[in-house]
Amino acid sequence: KAGVTQTPRYLIKTRGQQVTLSCSPISGHRSVSWYQQTPGQGLQFLFEYFSETQRNKGNFPGRFSGRQFSNSRSEMNVSTLELGDSALYLCASSWVAGAHTDTQYFGPGTRLTVL
Amino acid sequence: GNSVTQMEGPVTLSEEAFLTINCTYTATGYPSLFWYVQYPGEGLQLLLKATKADDKGSNKGFEATYRKETTSFHLEKGSVQVSDSAVYFCALSDLAGANSKLTFGKGITLSVRP
């Protein structure tokens, strides 16, 4: 079974631009979560999508948004990029059964550099 | 809120040495606990997990026991290899029954020399 895939793997943008990152979960996984990893703040939860709805949200400004499609693929968007948005963005997918969301499996990440 | 505290790093060991990486947590309820590993240039890989008190997670020679009385989930390995060099993260699930929102420790870099 293929793992979580993320595209692109690397991105370079300039301040003020916007960016869209994509995540394809493991087949059968319907929950997709996004995390930001930086040297200073470590790993921080951005949001989670399930059944095309945002189910949980972390403490990030509204410039960070996401969506999920009917095939469970997810995208996240960052508008008006700031230098501090430079980070590794990780996507994780989980299998869901009823009220239980199982272990998260992570993709390789997208490395975003903002100049 | 929930939090995870890992011992300060980095850690450097010789091959075949014994490894302990400390992890303690603060949480309401009964979270699941995880160890993830990150190799250079890669995402996170699940190393092991435990979902309730006294559970022991194990994988690839690594072990960790969910200790509710000490709120700890220390990672151990009896004999490390050079290939174990990586960054190790302890994490807990924030939502009961839902592992889709994890709180991570700061991570610790392990270097194993031949």
Side-chain angles (χ1 to χ4, degrees):
Chain A
K1 188 181 276 191
V4 178
T5 58
Q6 293 187 245
T7 57
R9 292 294 309 277
Y10 301 91
L11 267 177
I12 299 176
K13 294 287 188 179
T14 56
R15 278 180 300 174
Q17 288 187 309
Q18 74 166 16
V19 67
T20 299
L21 313 181
S22 180
C23 172
S24 292
I26 292 170
S27 178
H29 286 194
R30 295 187 294 148
S31 165
V32 175
S33 296
W34 289 88
Y35 294 82
Q36 181 195 65
Q37 185 178 22
T38 60
Q41 299 299 315
L43 281 152
Q44 295 184 284
F45 174 79
L46 280 156
F47 31 63
E48 181 222 358
Y49 284 86
F50 173 69
S51 290
E52 302 178 60
T53 301
Q54 188 180 88
R55 188 162 67 165
N56 292 292
K57 188 177 188 307
N59 191 25
F60 277 81
R63 299 186 299 106
F64 292 82
S65 63
R67 60 177 174 168
Q68 186 180 36
F69 302 94
S70 58
N71 62 358
S72 295
R73 190 176 70 85
S74 176
E75 290 181 346
M76 68 164 280
N77 183 277
V78 187
S79 62
T80 320
L81 284 166
E82 301 177 359
L83 295 178
D85 297 333
S86 294
L88 180 67
Y89 289 88
L90 293 164
C91 163
S93 73
S94 307
W95 173 76
V96 178
H100 177 70
T101 304
D102 202 44
T103 304
Q104 292 195 323
Y105 293 89
F106 284 78
T110 294
R111 172 73 62 186
L112 171 64
T113 302
V114 182
L115 302 176
Chain B
N2 296 342
S3 66
V4 175
T5 302
Q6 290 185 234
M7 59 184 278
E8 295 283 329
V11 173
T12 302
L13 295 173
S14 297
E15 202 164 27
E16 299 184 4
F18 183 84
L19 169 70
T20 298
I21 301 177
N22 290 341
C23 171
T24 57
Y25 67 90
T26 302
T28 54
Y30 304 96
S32 294
L33 301 174
F34 306 85
W35 278 100
Y36 282 88
V37 58
Q38 187 173 36
Y39 297 100
E42 298 184 11
L44 301 177
Q45 294 181 23
L46 176 68
L47 184 57
L48 53 82
K49 69 177 182 180
T51 58
K52 60 183 186 297
D54 300 325
D55 265 3
K56 177 186 282 188
S58 61
N59 185 28
K60 300 181 181 179
F62 291 90
E63 293 183 340
T65 300
Y66 190 146
R67 301 285 188 200
K68 190 171 185 301
E69 64 276 12
T70 55
T71 61
S72 65
F73 193 54
H74 304 322
L75 182 69
E76 296 183 336
K77 187 175 185 182
S79 176
V80 294
Q81 306 300 311
V82 172
S83 57
D84 294 327
S85 298
V87 182
Y88 290 81
F89 293 92
C90 184
L92 62 79
S93 60
D94 273 26
L95 305 170
N99 298 318
S100 52
K101 180 175 184 286
L102 299 178
T103 293
F104 287 88
K106 291 189 179 299
I108 186 168
T109 300
L110 170 65
S111 297
V112 181
R113 54 177 182 244

